[in-house]
Amino acid sequence: MTTTAAPTRTEPAAVRLPGAWALGLHRGALEIKQFFRQREQVVFTFSFPVVFLFLFASIFHDDVRGSGVTASQLYVPAMMASGIMSTSFQSLGISIAVERDEKVLRRLRGTPMPPASYFLGKIWLVLFTGVLETAILLLVSTTIYGVDLPSDADRWFDFAWIFVLGMTGCALLGIAISSVPKSGRSASSVVVLPFLVLQFISGVYISIGTIPDWMLDIGALFPLKWLCQGLRGVFLPDSARVLEQSGSWEFGRIALVLAAWCVGGLALCLLTFRWKDRREG
Protein backbone atom coordinates (compact mmCIF):
# COMPACT_ATOMS: atom_id res chain seq x y z
CA MET A 1 0.00 0.00 0.00
CA THR A 2 1.51 3.25 -1.13
CA THR A 3 0.90 6.56 0.46
CA THR A 4 1.01 9.84 -1.32
CA ALA A 5 2.58 12.78 0.44
CA ALA A 6 0.26 15.61 1.21
CA PRO A 7 0.92 18.68 -0.91
CA THR A 8 2.99 21.19 0.94
CA ARG A 9 1.43 24.58 1.57
CA THR A 10 3.49 27.54 0.61
CA GLU A 11 3.15 30.63 2.71
CA PRO A 12 2.38 33.76 0.74
CA ALA A 13 5.34 36.05 0.38
CA ALA A 14 5.24 38.97 2.73
CA VAL A 15 4.29 42.19 0.99
CA ARG A 16 6.56 45.05 1.95
CA LEU A 17 4.53 48.17 2.49
CA PRO A 18 5.99 51.52 1.48
CA GLY A 19 7.54 53.53 4.28
CA ALA A 20 6.42 56.84 5.70
CA TRP A 21 8.77 58.82 3.44
CA ALA A 22 7.50 57.19 0.23
CA LEU A 23 3.88 57.58 1.31
CA GLY A 24 4.62 61.19 2.19
CA LEU A 25 5.81 61.81 -1.37
CA HIS A 26 2.63 60.27 -2.78
CA ARG A 27 0.55 62.25 -0.32
CA GLY A 28 2.37 65.42 -1.34
CA ALA A 29 1.68 64.76 -5.02
CA LEU A 30 -2.00 64.29 -4.18
CA GLU A 31 -2.10 67.52 -2.17
CA ILE A 32 -0.54 69.44 -5.07
CA LYS A 33 -3.04 67.98 -7.55
CA GLN A 34 -5.95 68.91 -5.29
CA PHE A 35 -4.53 72.42 -4.89
CA PHE A 36 -4.37 73.07 -8.63
CA ARG A 37 -7.89 71.74 -9.15
CA GLN A 38 -9.20 74.69 -7.11
CA ARG A 39 -8.61 77.47 -9.61
CA GLU A 40 -9.82 80.30 -7.37
CA GLN A 41 -7.40 79.25 -4.64
CA VAL A 42 -4.51 79.03 -7.12
CA VAL A 43 -5.21 82.50 -8.52
CA PHE A 44 -5.56 84.04 -5.06
CA THR A 45 -2.43 82.36 -3.64
CA PHE A 46 -0.10 83.49 -6.41
CA SER A 47 -1.65 86.86 -7.23
CA PHE A 48 -2.18 88.18 -3.68
CA PRO A 49 1.46 89.14 -2.89
CA VAL A 50 2.03 90.41 -6.44
CA VAL A 51 -1.04 92.66 -6.29
CA PHE A 52 -0.05 94.04 -2.88
CA LEU A 53 3.50 94.61 -4.10
CA PHE A 54 2.15 96.53 -7.08
CA LEU A 55 -0.14 98.65 -4.87
CA PHE A 56 2.46 99.55 -2.26
CA ALA A 57 5.25 100.04 -4.79
CA SER A 58 2.99 102.35 -6.82
CA ILE A 59 2.01 104.42 -3.79
CA PHE A 60 5.46 104.54 -2.15
CA HIS A 61 8.13 104.73 -4.82
CA ASP A 62 10.48 107.51 -3.66
CA ASP A 63 14.07 106.95 -2.56
CA VAL A 64 14.49 105.99 1.09
CA ARG A 65 16.92 108.54 2.53
CA GLY A 66 20.39 107.22 3.29
CA SER A 67 19.63 103.62 2.31
CA GLY A 68 20.47 103.50 -1.39
CA VAL A 69 17.15 101.84 -2.25
CA THR A 70 13.68 102.94 -3.25
CA ALA A 71 10.56 102.27 -1.23
CA SER A 72 9.30 99.92 -3.94
CA GLN A 73 12.50 97.84 -3.67
CA LEU A 74 12.08 97.76 0.10
CA TYR A 75 8.65 96.16 -0.29
CA VAL A 76 9.93 93.27 -2.43
CA PRO A 77 11.54 91.15 0.34
CA ALA A 78 8.70 92.09 2.72
CA MET A 79 6.07 90.75 0.33
CA MET A 80 8.22 87.70 -0.31
CA ALA A 81 8.36 86.94 3.42
CA SER A 82 4.62 87.56 3.76
CA GLY A 83 3.98 85.18 0.87
CA ILE A 84 6.09 82.48 2.50
CA MET A 85 4.12 82.75 5.74
CA SER A 86 0.84 82.90 3.84
CA THR A 87 1.48 79.64 1.95
CA SER A 88 2.63 77.89 5.14
CA PHE A 89 1.14 79.29 8.36
CA GLN A 90 -2.15 80.61 7.00
CA SER A 91 -2.74 77.88 4.42
CA LEU A 92 -2.08 74.97 6.78
CA GLY A 93 -3.83 76.55 9.74
CA ILE A 94 -7.06 76.89 7.78
CA SER A 95 -6.96 73.77 5.59
CA ILE A 96 -6.15 71.33 8.42
CA ALA A 97 -8.90 72.81 10.61
CA VAL A 98 -11.38 72.35 7.75
CA GLU A 99 -10.22 68.76 7.14
CA ARG A 100 -10.64 67.99 10.83
CA ASP A 101 -14.14 69.48 10.82
CA GLU A 102 -15.09 67.45 7.73
CA LYS A 103 -13.84 64.20 9.38
CA VAL A 104 -11.06 63.80 6.78
CA LEU A 105 -8.40 63.51 9.48
CA ARG A 106 -10.36 60.87 11.38
CA ARG A 107 -10.71 58.74 8.25
CA LEU A 108 -7.01 59.09 7.44
CA ARG A 109 -6.12 58.15 11.01
CA GLY A 110 -7.99 54.89 10.55
CA THR A 111 -5.89 53.86 7.54
CA PRO A 112 -2.51 52.07 7.69
CA MET A 113 -0.81 55.29 6.53
CA PRO A 114 1.70 56.50 9.15
CA PRO A 115 0.71 59.87 10.65
CA ALA A 116 4.06 61.32 9.58
CA SER A 117 3.12 60.77 5.91
CA TYR A 118 0.15 63.13 6.23
CA PHE A 119 2.35 65.92 7.56
CA LEU A 120 5.06 65.22 4.99
CA GLY A 121 2.44 65.63 2.28
CA LYS A 122 1.47 69.02 3.69
CA ILE A 123 5.12 70.09 3.88
CA TRP A 124 5.67 69.11 0.22
CA LEU A 125 2.63 71.18 -0.76
CA VAL A 126 3.90 74.16 1.23
CA LEU A 127 7.41 73.91 -0.27
CA PHE A 128 6.08 73.61 -3.82
CA THR A 129 3.69 76.55 -3.57
CA GLY A 130 6.23 78.62 -1.62
CA VAL A 131 8.98 78.13 -4.21
CA LEU A 132 6.62 78.88 -7.10
CA GLU A 133 5.21 82.00 -5.44
CA THR A 134 8.71 83.28 -4.59
CA ALA A 135 9.86 82.69 -8.17
CA ILE A 136 6.91 84.72 -9.48
CA LEU A 137 7.70 87.58 -7.08
CA LEU A 138 11.36 87.55 -8.08
CA LEU A 139 10.41 87.68 -11.76
CA VAL A 140 8.12 90.66 -11.18
CA SER A 141 10.65 92.38 -8.92
CA THR A 142 13.59 92.11 -11.30
CA THR A 143 11.68 93.10 -14.41
CA ILE A 144 9.57 95.96 -13.01
CA TYR A 145 11.13 97.29 -9.80
CA GLY A 146 14.83 96.99 -10.56
CA VAL A 147 15.73 94.56 -7.81
CA ASP A 148 19.11 92.93 -8.51
CA LEU A 149 19.48 89.21 -7.91
CA PRO A 150 22.42 88.20 -5.72
CA SER A 151 25.60 87.79 -7.74
CA ASP A 152 27.58 85.64 -5.29
CA ALA A 153 27.00 82.15 -3.93
CA ASP A 154 27.06 83.28 -0.28
CA ARG A 155 23.94 85.39 -0.74
CA TRP A 156 22.10 82.52 -2.44
CA PHE A 157 23.16 80.22 0.39
CA ASP A 158 21.74 82.73 2.87
CA PHE A 159 18.53 82.83 0.87
CA ALA A 160 18.29 79.02 0.88
CA TRP A 161 18.59 78.53 4.65
CA ILE A 162 16.38 81.54 5.43
CA PHE A 163 13.71 80.19 3.08
CA VAL A 164 13.87 76.62 4.43
CA LEU A 165 14.00 77.54 8.12
CA GLY A 166 11.34 80.24 7.73
CA MET A 167 9.03 78.01 5.73
CA THR A 168 9.45 75.10 8.16
CA GLY A 169 8.90 77.20 11.27
CA CYS A 170 5.81 78.91 9.83
CA ALA A 171 4.40 75.57 8.61
CA LEU A 172 4.79 73.97 12.03
CA LEU A 173 3.18 77.01 13.63
CA GLY A 174 0.30 76.69 11.15
CA ILE A 175 -0.18 73.02 12.03
CA ALA A 176 -0.21 73.94 15.73
CA ILE A 177 -2.74 76.78 15.37
CA SER A 178 -5.06 74.51 13.35
CA SER A 179 -6.17 72.96 16.65
CA VAL A 180 -7.38 76.31 18.02
CA PRO A 181 -10.53 76.88 15.88
CA LYS A 182 -13.61 75.10 17.20
CA SER A 183 -14.85 74.45 13.66
CA GLY A 184 -13.76 74.76 10.07
CA ARG A 185 -16.00 77.79 9.58
CA SER A 186 -14.18 79.78 12.26
CA ALA A 187 -10.70 78.80 11.06
CA SER A 188 -10.24 81.80 8.78
CA SER A 189 -11.04 84.27 11.55
CA VAL A 190 -8.76 82.58 14.07
CA VAL A 191 -5.78 82.27 11.70
CA VAL A 192 -6.00 85.42 9.56
CA LEU A 193 -6.26 87.93 12.43
CA PRO A 194 -2.89 87.14 14.10
CA PHE A 195 -1.24 86.88 10.68
CA LEU A 196 -2.57 90.31 9.72
CA VAL A 197 -1.34 91.85 13.00
CA LEU A 198 2.10 90.28 12.55
CA GLN A 199 2.41 91.78 9.08
CA PHE A 200 1.93 95.28 10.49
CA ILE A 201 4.38 94.90 13.40
CA SER A 202 7.02 92.92 11.48
CA GLY A 203 7.87 95.43 8.77
CA VAL A 204 5.78 94.07 5.91
CA TYR A 205 3.44 97.00 5.25
CA ILE A 206 5.12 99.68 7.39
CA SER A 207 8.80 100.59 7.46
CA ILE A 208 10.73 99.37 10.51
CA GLY A 209 11.74 102.95 11.35
CA THR A 210 8.14 104.07 11.85
CA ILE A 211 7.01 101.19 14.08
CA PRO A 212 7.24 101.73 17.87
CA ASP A 213 9.99 99.73 19.55
CA TRP A 214 7.54 97.88 21.81
CA MET A 215 5.66 96.62 18.75
CA LEU A 216 8.92 95.56 17.10
CA ASP A 217 9.85 93.68 20.27
CA ILE A 218 6.58 91.76 20.08
CA GLY A 219 7.07 91.08 16.38
CA ALA A 220 10.60 89.83 17.11
CA LEU A 221 9.09 86.94 19.08
CA PHE A 222 7.69 85.47 15.85
CA PRO A 223 9.37 84.29 12.64
CA LEU A 224 7.86 86.80 10.17
CA LYS A 225 9.97 89.75 11.38
CA TRP A 226 13.18 87.74 10.95
CA LEU A 227 12.07 86.42 7.57
CA CYS A 228 11.61 90.01 6.37
CA GLN A 229 14.96 91.10 7.78
CA GLY A 230 16.82 88.12 6.35
CA LEU A 231 15.38 88.54 2.87
CA ARG A 232 16.20 92.26 2.95
CA GLY A 233 19.77 91.25 3.72
CA VAL A 234 19.80 88.96 0.70
CA PHE A 235 18.19 91.15 -1.94
CA LEU A 236 19.05 94.70 -0.84
CA PRO A 237 22.50 96.34 -0.83
CA ASP A 238 24.44 96.61 2.42
CA SER A 239 23.69 100.34 2.51
CA ALA A 240 20.10 99.47 3.46
CA ARG A 241 21.23 98.03 6.80
CA VAL A 242 20.75 101.48 8.35
CA LEU A 243 16.98 100.91 8.15
CA GLU A 244 17.10 97.95 10.54
CA GLN A 245 16.43 98.36 14.25
CA SER A 246 19.98 97.23 15.11
CA GLY A 247 21.66 98.75 12.04
CA SER A 248 22.78 95.33 10.76
CA TRP A 249 21.30 92.25 9.07
CA GLU A 250 21.98 89.96 12.08
CA PHE A 251 22.11 86.75 10.06
CA GLY A 252 23.33 84.80 13.09
CA ARG A 253 20.37 85.89 15.21
CA ILE A 254 18.00 85.22 12.31
CA ALA A 255 19.29 81.64 12.08
CA LEU A 256 18.89 81.11 15.84
CA VAL A 257 15.34 82.50 16.00
CA LEU A 258 14.09 80.62 12.94
CA ALA A 259 15.73 77.38 14.11
CA ALA A 260 14.18 77.88 17.54
CA TRP A 261 10.77 78.24 15.92
CA CYS A 262 11.32 74.99 14.04
CA VAL A 263 12.02 73.19 17.33
CA GLY A 264 9.32 75.06 19.27
CA GLY A 265 6.78 74.63 16.48
CA LEU A 266 7.40 70.88 16.42
CA ALA A 267 6.90 70.73 20.19
CA LEU A 268 3.65 72.69 19.89
CA CYS A 269 2.41 70.32 17.19
CA LEU A 270 3.16 67.26 19.31
CA LEU A 271 1.41 68.79 22.32
CA THR A 272 -1.68 70.26 20.66
CA PHE A 273 -2.48 68.43 17.42
CA ARG A 274 -5.79 66.56 17.38
CA TRP A 275 -7.11 64.14 14.76
CA LYS A 276 -10.70 64.51 15.94
CA ASP A 277 -12.95 67.48 16.60
CA ARG A 278 -13.32 68.61 20.22
CA ARG A 279 -16.97 67.62 20.16
CA GLU A 280 -15.95 64.03 19.48
CA GLY A 281 -13.78 63.82 22.57
Side-chain angles (χ1 to χ4, degrees), residues 4-22:
T4 57
T8 58
R9 297 179 60 185
T10 57
E11 295 294 332
V15 179
R16 186 176 180 180
L17 297 176
W21 180 258

Side-chain angles (χ1 to χ4, degrees), residues 6-69:
T8 58
R9 297 179 60 185
T10 57
E11 295 294 332
V15 179
R16 186 176 180 180
L17 297 176
W21 180 258
L23 288 174
L25 289 174
H26 289 294
R27 182 71 195 177
L30 178 61
E31 293 277 358
I32 293 171
K33 288 180 181 178
Q34 291 176 337
F35 171 78
F36 279 100
R37 286 173 181 169
Q38 302 174 6
R39 295 183 180 179
E40 296 84 357
Q41 183 180 1
V42 173
V43 172
F44 177 83
T45 298
F46 295 127
S47 64
F48 183 82
V50 175
V51 170
F52 267 66
L53 174 60
F54 175 76
L55 288 174
F56 281 101
S58 299
I59 297 171
F60 308 101
H61 51 78
D62 296 331
D63 293 339
V64 181
R65 183 180 301 176
S67 66
V69 297

Side-chain angles (χ1 to χ4, degrees), residues 57 60 68-78 145-148 235-237:
F60 308 101
V69 297
T70 63
S72 57
Q73 292 173 326
L74 193 61
Y75 275 111
V76 170
Y145 300 111
V147 173
D148 295 325
F235 293 103
L236 298 182

Side-chain angles (χ1 to χ4, degrees), residues 20-259:
W21 180 258
L23 288 174
L25 289 174
H26 289 294
R27 182 71 195 177
L30 178 61
E31 293 277 358
I32 293 171
K33 288 180 181 178
Q34 291 176 337
F35 171 78
F36 279 100
R37 286 173 181 169
Q38 302 174 6
R39 295 183 180 179
E40 296 84 357
Q41 183 180 1
V42 173
V43 172
F44 177 83
T45 298
F46 295 127
S47 64
F48 183 82
V50 175
V51 170
F52 267 66
L53 174 60
F54 175 76
L55 288 174
F56 281 101
S58 299
I59 297 171
F60 308 101
H61 51 78
D62 296 331
D63 293 339
V64 181
R65 183 180 301 176
S67 66
V69 297
T70 63
S72 57
Q73 292 173 326
L74 193 61
Y75 275 111
V76 170
M79 291 303 164
M80 199 178 300
S82 178
I84 291 172
M85 193 165 186
S86 174
T87 56
S88 53
F89 170 77
Q90 179 174 291
S91 176
L92 292 185
I94 295 174
S95 64
I96 294 177
V98 171
E99 289 178 355
R100 181 184 295 109
D101 194 41
E102 295 178 349
K103 309 297 188 296
V104 174
L105 295 187
R106 189 176 67 175
R107 292 194 294 269
L108 289 174
R109 192 70 177 93
T111 67
M113 183 183 72
S117 299
Y118 171 77
F119 298 108
L120 284 173
K122 291 293 186 184
I123 295 298
W124 282 119
L125 171 64
V126 164
L127 284 174
F128 182 85
T129 54
V131 168
L132 188 55
E133 182 182 75
T134 302
I136 293 172
L137 277 171
L138 283 177
L139 178 62
V140 173
S141 304
T142 54
T143 55
I144 298 178
Y145 300 111
V147 173
D148 295 325
L149 295 178
S151 57
D152 57 283
D154 290 341
R155 285 290 180 95
W156 282 114
F157 175 74
D158 289 335
F159 170 74
W161 66 258
I162 290 169
F163 180 88
V164 171
L165 287 180
M167 180 72 75
T168 303
C170 291
L172 291 170
L173 188 57
I175 294 173
I177 202 173
S178 69
S179 298
V180 176
K182 293 183 179 180
S183 67
R185 287 176 294 182
S186 63
S188 296
S189 303
V190 172
V191 176
V192 172
L193 179 59
F195 178 44
L196 183 62
V197 172
L198 281 178
Q199 289 178 93
F200 276 97
I201 65 176
S202 300
V204 175
Y205 298 139
I206 303 175
S207 175
I208 289 290
T210 59
I211 302 175
D213 286 341
W214 66 271
M215 285 189 178
L216 288 175
D217 292 339
I218 295 175
L221 299 175
F222 299 92
L224 182 57
K225 186 263 185 187
W226 302 101
L227 259 176
C228 292
Q229 184 170 322
L231 293 176
R232 283 194 293 268
V234 171
F235 293 103
L236 298 182
D238 287 337
S239 58
R241 289 182 296 182
V242 298
L243 301 175
E244 301 299 330
Q245 190 178 19
S246 63
S248 64
W249 298 129
E250 298 181 293
F251 283 124
R253 180 173 291 184
I254 292 170
L256 287 175
V257 174
L258 293 182

